[in-house]
Every structure is written in structure tokens, then in C-alpha cells.
């Protein structure tokens, strides 16, 4: 009779093989009911038997070719794909069905068009090369939207997944870009907190006005700041930013109350607008 140690070794070996070939999750959850506690803990050491529905789903994904997906754009079920992920949007027929405002998205992966706005045949493609980080975040938002409001059904063979449903190099590159986009979003948020956007208004015949307040740019704070032309590092075009000086403007004047501490006004990335009083919280331009 084989000893307990040998039995454990054999069971673990069999389970490991099942795991390697993708048969583990459904079978093992049944068998584990009859496995002794000490053996169960040994198996759990080597593999994860948690109820991970995402992993189960990935093994049962339907894989579409482009020709197959193209069939789902008419009177029957309506499917579309974003970043290679296919969704059933039949319940949104009035939008995605024949004559709908988004009919051109149906039956294909038109990822690029979701953020480029180019709804021609040349723009409705799955090539996202050269998109900005903002566009990459936009695509991620679209995927989240479809996963929330519609039904995920599988993947399409193309730029993002191969015939086995495995992510391609292009998809891995997208993931890297998305990570960079999220980092950039955090940096941008921090940048806007430090240099909030100015208020602005323009009118024909009256020119343009830029000014700062404690809520300009939608960012609440206890200081108003002064309008400056701000060049964020790494960018080529400036924006109007409210730059922190030394405190709130005088209640009776549009100028600051102290001059001995310039706050962020000495930052090399900010410049006074030509023709604007460097101490004023408001600047007007006759550029119409």
C-alpha cells in the first residue's frame, strides 16, 4: 500500500496537469468536496482555486473572425468590438441598428473612430497607432461603458487578439500606453491644482478677457492668483493659468497687497501677458 505522502504527491501531480491544460477549475471544484483537508491545503499551495469568474470567462470566450462579426449588424443580433472585445448591443438597436446614429460601429472593430471622430471607412479601423494619451484614456472609458451597459460576448481576431484569443503585441502596447495615460492624468491633475486655469470670456467687438478667482477652472481654493501665460513642461502651447502670488487681492483694488514674496510668479514656465498689468487679477485683449 502506498503511504499518505505518495498519495498526496500523486494527487498534486494529477491536479497540476489538469491545471496546465485548462481543465482544472470546473473539475477540481467538484473533486475538492471529497479531498481530505490536508491534501486540499497542499493543492491550494500550488494553485489558485478561488472563484475567479474573469478567468473562467476568458477560457470560454467566443472568437470571431472579421467576416463573422460583420454578419451581426442587421435585423438580428447586433455586435460591435472595441479594442478587440466584442459586445452584444442588440438592446441599443435604435442607435446601432440600420438607420441608427451609430450604425457604422456595428459588425466591426472601429476602435480608432471612437476617439478620432473619423467615421469613414478609412477611420473605422482597429489601428490606434499614434493616438494621444488622452485618446487612450478615452478608449478605456468606452470599454468600461460597454462592459457596464451591454453584454460582453468574446473577442475578434485582428490587431488586438490572435486566433486563440491571446493578446497581441499591439494590445500589450495599448496596456503600456494606458498605464502611462493614467500616470499623466495624475500629473495633470496635480498641475491644475498648482496652476488652475483662468476664467475667460470673449465677445465680438469687446475682445477677450482673462481673470482669476478662488474658483477659476472649477478648482476651489483660498487664493485667486494672477493670470499668466503658462507653459507646462513637455508642451509646446501655453494656457492661461492662475499663478499663486502672496495672498488674496485687496478688496478695493485689482492688485495684490504685497510685493516682497512672489510665490510661484518667479516660476520659469510662466510669463506675463503682453500689455497686461503684472499685478492685476484681470487682463483684457482687443484681438478681435
Amino acid at each position: 500500500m502506498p503511504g499518505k505522502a505518495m498519495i498526496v504527491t500523486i494527487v498534486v501531480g494529477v491536479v497540476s496537469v489538469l491545471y496546465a491544460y485548462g481543465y482544472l477549475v470546473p473539475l477540481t471544484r467538484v473533486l475538492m468536496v471529497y479531498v481530505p483537508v490536508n491534501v486540499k491545503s497542499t493543492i491550494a499551495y500550488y494553485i489558485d482555486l478561488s472563484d475567479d469568474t474573469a478567468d473562467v470567462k476568458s477560457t470560454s470566450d467566443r472568437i470571431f473572425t472579421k467576416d463573422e462579426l460583420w454578419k451581426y449588424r442587421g435585423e438580428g443580433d447586433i455586435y460591435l468590438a472595441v479594442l478587440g472585445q466584442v459586445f452584444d448591443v442588440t438592446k441599443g438597436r435604435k442607435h446601432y441598428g440600420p438607420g441608427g446614429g451609430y450604425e457604422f460601429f456595428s459588425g466591426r472593430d472601429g476602435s480608432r473612430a471612437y476617439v478620432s471622430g473619423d467615421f469613414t471607412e478609412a477611420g473605422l479601423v482597429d489601428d490606434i497607432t499614434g493616438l494621444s494619451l488622452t485618446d487612450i484614456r478615452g478608449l478605456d472609458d468606452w470599454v468600461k461603458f460597454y462592459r457596464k451597459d451591454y453584454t460582453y460576448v468574446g473577442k475578434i481576431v485582428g490587431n488586438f487578439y490572435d486566433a486563440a484569443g491571446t493578446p497581441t503585441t499591439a494590445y500589450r502596447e495599448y496596456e503600456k500606453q494606458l498605464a502611462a495615460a493614467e500616470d499623466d492624468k495624475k500629473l495633470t491633475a496635480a498641475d491644475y491644482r498648482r496652476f488652475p486655469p483662468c476664467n475667460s470670456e470673449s465677445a465680438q467687438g469687446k475682445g477677450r478677457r482673462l481673470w482669476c478667482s478662488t474658483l477659476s477652472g472649477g478648482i476651489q481654493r483660498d487664493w485667486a492668483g494672477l493670470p499668466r501665460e503658462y507653459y507646462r513642461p513637455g508642451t509646446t502651447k501655453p494656457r492661461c493659468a492662475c499663478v499663486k502670488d502672496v495672498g488674496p487681492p485687496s478688496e478695493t483694488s485689482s492688485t495684490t497687497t504685497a510685493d516682497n514674496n512672489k510665490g510661484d510668479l518667479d516660476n520659469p514656465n510662466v510669463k506675463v501677458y503682453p500689455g497686461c498689468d503684472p499685478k492685476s487679477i484681470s487682463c483684457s485683449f482687443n484681438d478681435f
Side-chain angles (χ1 to χ4, degrees):
M1 288 287 293
K4 289 184 178 180
M6 181 177 292
I7 292 175
V8 170
T9 301
I10 292 172
V11 171
V12 171
V14 171
V15 171
S16 299
V17 171
L18 291 172
Y19 179 77
Y21 284 91
Y23 301 113
L24 172 71
V25 175
L27 179 60
T28 304
R29 284 178 184 151
V30 175
L31 295 179
M32 287 291 278
V33 175
Y34 305 101
V35 173
V37 174
N38 62 326
V39 178
K40 187 181 297 186
S41 61
T42 303
I43 294 172
Y45 176 82
Y46 289 97
I47 56 177
D48 180 10
L49 296 178
S50 61
D51 187 12
D52 190 342
T53 55
D55 287 345
V56 174
K57 179 185 291 184
S58 68
T59 63
S60 60
D61 280 349
R62 179 176 174 184
I63 307 300
F64 295 81
T65 64
K66 291 184 178 180
D67 288 341
E68 287 172 337
L69 188 61
W70 187 246
K71 298 175 183 178
Y72 290 88
R73 57 185 174 83
E75 298 301 329
D77 291 340
I78 303 172
Y79 294 176
L80 57 74
V82 184
L83 292 174
Q85 300 172 47
V86 181
F87 299 92
D88 182 342
V89 295
T90 307
K91 71 177 184 179
R93 182 180 301 280
K94 67 178 181 180
H95 303 297
Y96 299 103
Y102 300 110
E103 175 186 7
F104 43 76
F105 281 129
S106 299
R108 69 171 102 208
D109 186 337
S111 293
R112 191 178 191 89
Y114 280 92
V115 292
S116 71
D118 181 359
F119 305 126
T120 66
E121 289 299 310
L124 288 161
V125 294
D126 59 3
D127 180 6
I128 60 172
T129 305
L131 292 182
S132 68
L133 293 182
T134 299
D135 290 336
I136 294 298
R137 286 202 309 269
L139 280 173
D140 181 56
D141 289 339
W142 275 109
V143 171
K144 290 176 180 175
F145 164 75
Y146 283 114
R147 283 193 173 271
K148 176 177 179 293
D149 288 9
Y150 294 97
T151 303
Y152 169 83
V153 293
K155 298 182 175 72
I156 181 173
V157 179
N159 191 38
F160 302 108
Y161 295 95
D162 62 21
T166 304
T168 63
T169 301
Y171 189 81
R172 296 307 184 195
E173 181 60 29
Y174 158 76
E175 289 183 314
K176 292 178 183 178
Q177 288 181 298
L178 181 59
E182 291 301 325
D183 289 341
D184 181 70
K185 182 179 180 180
K186 294 175 183 177
L187 291 174
T188 298
D191 187 71
Y192 270 61
R193 287 194 298 271
R194 181 178 181 185
F195 298 109
C198 306
N199 297 308
S200 66
E201 62 180 2
S202 301
Q204 190 71 32
K206 293 185 178 181
R208 178 168 58 116
R209 176 175 172 246
L210 302 172
W211 77 99
C212 294
S213 68
T214 55
L215 192 56
S216 61
I219 299 175
Q220 183 70 56
R221 54 195 186 278
D222 58 5
W223 53 274
L226 302 177
R228 291 289 188 270
E229 197 172 34
Y230 170 56
Y231 291 81
R232 180 184 173 185
T235 62
T236 58
K237 293 183 178 180
R239 65 174 176 86
C240 183
C242 293
V243 180
K244 190 173 184 179
D245 49 353
V246 293
S250 167
E251 294 181 357
T252 59
S253 170
S254 63
T255 61
T256 58
T257 58
D259 295 315
N260 59 338
N261 182 349
K262 294 186 177 181
D264 282 324
L265 296 178
D266 282 339
N267 189 296
N269 297 311
V270 302
K271 296 181 180 179
V272 177
Y273 279 99
C276 180
D277 183 342
K279 296 181 180 181
S280 177
I281 62 171
S282 177
C283 295
S284 296
F285 309 91
N286 295 318
D287 47 5
F288 278 95

